[in-house]
Amino acid sequence: MNLKLKRIKELMAYTLQVLKEEGIGPVLRRAIGFIKRRFFGKKARYLPKKQVLEAQRREGAQGAPGPVISICVPLYNTPEPFLRQLLDSVLNQTSPGWELCLADASDDAHRPAVKKLVDAAAQKAGERIRYKVIENKGISHNTNHAAALATGEYLALADHDDVLAPHAIYTVQKAIAETGAAFLYSDEALFTKKIEKPMVGHFKPDYAPDYLLCCNYICHLAVFRRSEFLAVGGERPECDGSQDHDLFLRLLERLEPSQICHIPQVLYYWRVHAASTSGGVAAKPYVAKAAKKAIADHLQRTGQQGEVKDGIFPSTYKVDWVIPGEPLVSILIPNKDHTDDLEKCLASVYGKTTWQRFEVIVIENNSTDPATFEYYEKAKERFANLQVVKFEGGFNFSAINNFGRKFAKGEYLLLLNNDVEIINGEWLTEMLMQASRPGAAICGAMLYYPDDTIQHAGIITGLGGYAGHSHKYKKAGGSGYMFRLATVQDFSAVTAACLLVRSEVYDEMEGLDEGFTVAFNDVDFCLRVRDAGYRIIWTPYARLYHYESKSRGSDEKDKAKKERFATEQKRLTDRFTRRGLTHDPYYNPSLTLDREDFSESADLRNLKDPQTAL
């Protein structure tokens, strides 16, 4: 089917589902939002409505809604227009509960102009602006001097050429008051001249520790307790270039996840120009070296064993983890006839896999072709550690795998479809690296269609109303949204077409829920694992082809199958609720739920009015 037609058909199905479940109102709001965004421009699209800002100012006039936040900015030969915009953005905050700490390392030729602008701002703000001339010894040294001027309970880091959103301090203070978080970070946007005309937003997931190891997705605006900053000794000059990434790792390794808060608001505008890292790391080539040191030092401090390497793209990194021992992996492959598919799968597993400690359990499910059973006998002779077990009963993917688990001896189970083909020999090693880490339980893989477009790069709940695959249909080889196609990262779920799980966790969850006979069994299983406190990780370094649904055909035109699918949709919603599904912590609410491409949502009510629930 033509890709555009397929997308239109999927979108129409989702629209009808929303109409049925939520009524005409939500459908119209989405349609109006799409039309506004597509045809009436994007000006100030990340800024709250004027009446919202005015209400915040009235509240701020009665007192700040939370603790004082000290904004720490190292200055160095700052261009006057850039510094003026920064100062104005601080002076125009809707909450008065801030102080601005400026450490000026400018040379003699530039300092008078810088100081003149600072003095003018200080006349308006008084003692809330603290300024000190220092010797230039690098970004970390200069930032630490700015922080030394601070008296606020929390610190915020800002670059001298960037801009704070007018509601930044207010919003962070509110979040602190509500959550008590020790570390908070927001979404951000890139701009060139005016924040009313942003280039693009960076809409981030909630705290994602595995993603953070591969790239500094947190960036701006980051706010944290001053006591924590002092406890870790501030920023380290030896990590200049990736000093913030290093600082975040050192701060966050001291905190519990409940102390870390992501604010899904664009509170910071990052200026793009030739000398800025927002324009690419080519401007600062020492960034990669510093980042790898920051990650390696983090591993050493936390007692983790691994080698830090460059990632697939600049500004991304990879850890080759040491796998404890030599665990056995039990590969479970359900099969009904389709021996050509199974042969391709087995030949690639045995012919390419570099991890040698595995067994294969083919779970026979009601095959009718006598040639299938002849194939099984020959396969057991050709492939070592392969057994065929017979499941009796109708097709139920969950029950079939639960049955196969009874015969598995491995410390890990790999659920694998019979219609996949291995691409790279390290695939299983890469998955074991992730699933064997403390706190992790599941790892998923990159799956491609035969035409080298993406079939699966992690599952996002809420897409299409229930769940969908990240970056589906995108061409192979790209970095994806904020490097999310090119980095190991956290997800709420991954597909059971290739899913590695600790055997003890599989048993703890009592396996797959057999109430999901075909659809959503993997989503349900992963969400139960996630809610039990384990991490689900996806890696782009395990790559397979997936000849999707060949073994059971399409459900679209079969009435009974459509009814079963609707029943399984309801079962998923009843268990996790509509809100639970549409608020995936690893997917930002400002991104669309209508497509898999991480495009910006047509409905940005949560940015226009932060009090409005999605």
Side-chain angles (χ1 to χ4, degrees), residues 444-447 454-461 463 467-472 484-485 489-495 523 536-540 584 596 598:
M446 172 75 88
L447 302 182
I454 291 168
Q455 190 266 340
H456 170 267
I459 290 176
I460 297 164
T461 65
L463 286 184
H469 289 188
S470 160
H471 292 96
K472 192 173 182 180
R484 294 193 65 172
L485 269 181
Q489 62 191 265
D490 309 86
F491 271 98
S492 288
V494 294
T495 180
V523 177
I536 291 98
I537 302 174
W538 172 84
T539 176
D584 188 325
E596 309 91 344
F598 285 78

Side-chain angles (χ1 to χ4, degrees), residues 93-164:
Q93 288 296 302
T94 58
S95 169
W98 56 266
E99 67 176 7
L100 180 60
C101 303
L102 303 168
D104 188 3
S106 300
D107 58 35
D108 292 342
H110 290 83
R111 187 172 297 123
V114 169
K115 190 173 187 307
K116 181 179 179 180
L117 287 174
V118 173
D119 288 344
Q123 288 181 358
K124 301 176 182 178
E127 295 182 355
R128 285 189 296 166
I129 293 184
R130 306 166 72 84
Y131 173 82
K132 183 178 181 180
V133 175
I134 63 170
E135 181 182 359
N136 181 27
K137 292 186 178 180
I139 185 66
S140 293
H141 171 270
N142 299 352
T143 300
N144 290 340
H145 270 277
L149 300 174
T151 63
E153 184 180 344
Y154 283 76
L155 304 181
L157 302 183
D159 292 338
H160 66 163
D161 49 3
D162 294 338
V163 173
L164 268 64

Side-chain angles (χ1 to χ4, degrees), residues 302-313:
T302 55
Q304 301 181 77
Q305 293 183 299
E307 181 183 357
V308 183
K309 297 181 176 181
D310 289 320
I312 298 172
F313 289 91

Side-chain angles (χ1 to χ4, degrees), residues 427-443:
W427 70 287
L428 188 52
T429 304
E430 294 286 354
M431 296 181 78
L432 273 170
M433 282 184 190
Q434 305 304 330
S436 64
R437 293 177 55 209
I442 290 174
C443 184

Side-chain angles (χ1 to χ4, degrees), residues 183-446:
F183 186 104
L184 307 93
Y185 65 95
S186 75
D187 297 337
E188 65 195 50
L190 304 186
F191 81 110
T192 54
K193 295 181 180 179
K194 296 181 179 181
I195 66 172
E196 291 81 7
K197 295 183 178 180
M199 298 167 58
V200 65
H202 285 180
F203 296 113
K204 308 165 190 176
D206 289 350
Y207 179 50
D210 302 285
Y211 186 27
L212 184 61
L213 279 181
C214 299
C215 65
N216 179 17
Y217 79 89
I218 289 178
C219 289
H220 311 293
L221 179 68
V223 180
F224 37 84
R225 284 199 182 115
R226 181 161 62 99
S227 59
E228 294 291 338
F229 181 83
L230 296 175
V232 301
E235 296 203 328
R236 297 194 302 165
E238 57 266 39
C239 287
D240 274 2
S242 284
Q243 71 284 344
D244 290 348
H245 195 182
D246 173 65
L247 174 65
F248 299 160
L249 290 171
R250 288 185 291 124
L251 289 171
L252 292 171
E253 66 196 32
R254 295 168 48 87
L255 304 177
E256 296 296 325
S258 60
Q259 297 175 283
I260 304 163
C261 176
H262 167 228
I263 303 171
Q265 293 284 314
V266 176
L267 302 183
Y268 192 97
Y269 287 82
W270 197 4
R271 189 186 303 273
V272 177
H273 60 92
S276 171
T277 52
S278 62
V281 295
K284 297 180 180 179
Y286 53 90
V287 168
K289 181 178 180 181
K292 285 188 285 187
K293 175 175 175 55
I295 297 167
D297 290 352
H298 166 74
L299 301 188
Q300 185 175 28
R301 287 190 304 270
T302 55
Q304 301 181 77
Q305 293 183 299
E307 181 183 357
V308 183
K309 297 181 176 181
D310 289 320
I312 298 172
F313 289 91
S315 292
T316 68
Y317 309 95
K318 176 183 189 291
V319 180
D320 279 352
W321 300 99
V322 174
I323 299 170
E326 294 184 359
L328 175 68
V329 178
S330 297
I331 302 176
L332 308 182
I333 306 177
N335 187 72
K336 179 181 179 181
D337 295 318
H338 291 276
T339 54
D340 289 345
D341 291 336
L342 182 59
E343 170 63 20
K344 184 181 292 185
C345 175
L346 291 176
S348 67
V349 168
Y350 280 91
K352 294 182 178 179
T353 306
T354 56
W355 184 267
Q356 294 297 302
R357 290 271 294 158
F358 68 85
E359 63 174 1
V360 173
I361 301 168
V362 174
I363 310 162
E364 154 59 28
N365 168 43
N366 296 313
S367 293
T368 58
D369 186 349
T372 299
F373 299 92
E374 295 176 10
Y375 174 83
Y376 289 154
E377 294 304 314
K378 294 178 181 178
K380 287 188 288 186
E381 296 175 0
R382 293 168 52 214
F383 300 118
N385 299 319
L386 183 147
Q387 60 177 312
V388 178
V389 298
K390 187 175 182 180
F391 173 81
E392 296 182 353
F395 182 84
N396 182 315
F397 183 84
S398 300
I400 291 168
N401 279 283
N402 290 343
F403 176 76
R405 191 276 172 268
K406 298 176 183 178
F407 300 89
K409 301 174 184 176
E411 296 99 312
Y412 293 84
L413 304 175
L414 181 80
L415 309 188
L416 192 67
N417 277 20
N418 65 344
D419 56 351
V420 301
E421 181 181 4
I422 309 306
I423 295 175
N424 64 315
E426 299 77 24
W427 70 287
L428 188 52
T429 304
E430 294 286 354
M431 296 181 78
L432 273 170
M433 282 184 190
Q434 305 304 330
S436 64
R437 293 177 55 209
I442 290 174
C443 184
M446 172 75 88

